[in-house]
Amino acid sequence: MRRHEHEEGGTWGKHGFPHAETRRTQNPVGLTPRVGSTPTFGTRALGLATVGGPSTGTGRASTVPGAATHQNGQDAAVKVGVLTGGGDCPGLNAVIRAVGRRSFQRRHEVVGVRDGWRGLVEDELEPLGPREISGILPRGGTILGTTRTNPYKLEGGVGRVQDTFERAGLDALVAIGGEDTLGVAARLFEEQAFPVVGVPKTIDNDLNGTDYTFGFDTAVFIATEAIDRLHTTAESHNRVMVVEVMGRNTGWIAVMSGIAGGADVILIPEQPISIDEACDDIRRRHERGKDFSIVVISEGYELEGHAEDGDQDEFGHIRLSERGVGEVLGREIERRTGYETRVTVLGHVQRGGSPTPRDRVLATRFGLKAADLVDQQRFGQMASLQGDRIVEVPLKDATAELKTVPPEWYDVAKAFFG
Ligand code: F6P
């Protein structure tokens, strides 16, 4: 093991697939560590040129078009790890399936990493063959499991990631995750030249560098359906219904489901309004004969006088659902307006179940792109949706800051307040 080499600036990703040549001659199968086999980081195994790399600081990836083909025309037996990290999300399995299918077509081998970065830290891998990926397209969750493990927060965590990667003879990693999981990937690439590509996942849609993440459409669909259902009961009882939706520190789910569901007030972190302003909107509705109202609030909204606290995860996030902003808002609306109010917290139902067709298609396209990025050794890059096209963007840029809801979107929602 040559971990010290990686820690001193890293050699991965600059010299092509580290294990492909050894594997081609030995034709190994499964995950049994190949005792005595020497990684070929330093020697260019495939007879291909590499350019660029993380040390440029530009986020530019190593580029080797057609890299997985040997000089003699034979395909390389490239071994690709796949992990899913962070909160689960509808469409993860569709990505895994697409990465697998395209990789198998190229005669690459695919290995599942259990539970996000934890699987690499604790050496928990599993075979991922055609049988494992069959029939998973419509399934919610992730067949690989997921955690919010952060190797950078664990004693020796990064070294253990590298050790596992080495022992398993992996050549590349596809990391499917949000800002946290991909933030680790970006750092590993920048600091260790780790051969990783990213796929943007999150129901929150808060990842930069892509117009949409998969999982978001499903979450918005579920929240919209809930708002529709709350409308009929709100109207029957002349009540105010407060709906708290997920989205962490951005209001994408709230604003989109609120527009789609015809919400009368929407509170998102990016566009704070006072509780009194929200109450004024509700009163205005009542004055024009509408005795019920739907109020959507994002879990990350900072209500005046409501402190933010709670346990933090390994990425420093507190559990926002525990703050209960929906409950607080509901109580205040009832107290200030006198209108009977009920609160619904949608919670994890927004993340569960089968992805929408749109998310299945997006996840599939992302997965194919990720497999292509691996094949071309475009490490340090992430699959991204721009307009209707799937392109690549540097992981570093995608994870530098959150993508917040622009004012134009909130203006669309606001046109229907009160
Ligand atoms: O990031 C996805 C998300 O569902 C957020 O919207 C939410 O704040 C968080 O994860 C909930 O995390 P957990 O599943 O750990 O409760």
Side-chain angles (χ1 to χ4, degrees):
M1 174 56 211
R2 310 184 309 173
R3 192 198 314 167
H4 59 282
E5 288 187 19
H6 311 313
E7 284 172 349
E8 284 164 8
T11 53
W12 280 330
K14 289 180 181 167
H15 306 285
F17 298 120
H19 303 107
E21 176 68 11
T22 318
R23 187 171 308 106
R24 189 173 66 90
T25 52
Q26 296 187 350
N27 193 24
V29 289
L31 300 172
T32 317
R34 288 163 300 120
V35 179
S37 71
T38 312
T40 53
F41 291 107
T43 54
R44 183 67 195 95
L46 303 179
L48 297 151
T50 53
V51 294
S55 56
T56 59
T58 61
R60 199 155 53 88
S62 305
T63 310
V64 191
T69 306
H70 283 279
Q71 284 168 322
N72 63 10
Q74 277 187 310
D75 284 346
V78 174
K79 201 166 179 178
V80 186
V82 182
L83 67 76
T84 54
D88 75 332
C89 168
L92 284 167
N93 289 324
V95 179
I96 295 167
R97 168 179 173 267
V99 171
R101 288 288 284 270
R102 183 146 278 182
S103 301
F104 300 149
Q105 283 155 8
R106 296 187 169 125
R107 286 186 266 159
H108 295 178
E109 190 181 341
V110 183
V111 171
V113 177
R114 292 296 313 171
D115 302 338
W117 292 109
R118 192 188 73 75
L120 285 176
V121 171
E122 297 182 13
D123 197 359
E124 279 193 34
L125 310 179
E126 63 186 26
L128 203 54
R131 186 183 304 199
E132 283 76 23
I133 63 164
S134 170
I136 64 172
L137 172 64
R139 268 174 65 185
T142 162
I143 60 166
L144 295 175
T146 183
T147 60
R148 298 190 196 280
T149 304
N150 181 353
Y152 283 98
K153 282 285 153 72
L154 301 173
E155 185 76 29
V158 173
R160 279 148 69 190
V161 166
Q162 294 170 334
D163 285 349
T164 303
F165 192 86
E166 279 287 297
R167 250 198 311 276
L170 291 169
D171 297 295
L173 180 74
V174 176
I176 311 168
E179 52 145 345
D180 298 332
T181 303
L182 297 185
V184 170
R187 193 165 164 194
L188 282 171
F189 175 74
E190 293 300 323
E191 295 178 3
Q192 316 286 339
F194 192 82
V196 61
V197 303
V199 175
K201 152 275 28 166
T202 168
I203 64 164
D204 303 336
N205 198 42
D206 60 355
L207 202 67
N208 240 327
T210 184
D211 288 354
Y212 290 98
T213 51
F214 72 87
F216 174 63
D217 188 61
T218 307
V220 170
F221 179 84
I222 293 166
T224 303
E225 204 209 7
I227 294 169
D228 287 348
R229 288 175 186 278
L230 290 169
H231 251 116
T232 60
T233 173
E235 191 168 7
S236 304
H237 286 269
N238 292 340
R239 282 173 175 163
V240 176
M241 289 289 185
V242 173
V243 192
E244 181 186 310
V245 298
M246 282 186 168
R248 200 153 257 167
N249 297 110
T250 64
W252 285 102
I253 298 178
V255 85
M256 289 298 181
S257 62
I259 292 170
D264 305 302
V265 185
I266 304 173
L267 294 95
I268 63 172
E270 294 90 335
Q271 300 280 338
I273 58 172
S274 67
I275 297 177
D276 276 338
E277 282 174 274
C279 290
D280 286 347
D281 281 333
I282 295 166
R283 280 194 203 94
R284 258 205 322 279
R285 267 178 68 75
H286 281 238
E287 278 157 20
R288 60 184 178 87
K290 296 278 190 185
D291 292 333
F292 68 96
S293 294
I294 301 287
V295 179
V296 178
I297 182 165
S298 190
E299 62 175 0
Y301 194 83
E302 289 186 23
L303 280 173
E304 64 242 36
H306 191 61
E308 177 158 319
D309 53 13
D311 293 340
Q312 292 186 356
D313 66 18
E314 287 181 21
F315 290 92
H317 303 298
I318 65 161
R319 207 182 296 167
L320 291 172
S321 57
E322 287 186 350
R323 296 163 66 228
V325 289
E327 280 295 340
V328 177
L329 180 66
R331 268 200 308 274
E332 281 304 309
I333 288 175
E334 190 165 276
R335 191 177 68 79
R336 295 184 196 196
T337 64
Y339 303 138
E340 192 179 12
T341 304
R342 294 287 187 274
V343 178
T344 302
V345 180
L346 289 184
H348 291 82
V349 75
Q350 293 160 99
R351 267 191 6 214
S354 192
T356 58
R358 192 182 180 86
D359 273 340
R360 293 183 200 189
V361 172
L362 182 59
T364 297
R365 294 176 79 199
F366 278 160
L368 294 179
K369 181 69 176 180
D372 289 347
L373 291 173
V374 165
D375 194 55
Q376 296 157 7
Q377 298 181 52
R378 300 280 305 159
F379 300 130
Q381 299 292 105
M382 182 187 86
S384 142
L385 178 72
Q386 284 179 17
D388 207 23
R389 294 176 53 237
I390 303 292
V391 299
E392 64 183 77
V393 296
L395 270 169
K396 197 172 70 166
D397 298 350
T399 53
E401 57 186 32
L402 284 184
K403 184 182 70 186
T404 53
V405 176
E408 307 86 80
W409 270 119
Y410 196 65
D411 288 346
V412 175
K414 245 176 24 192
F416 301 91
F417 288 1

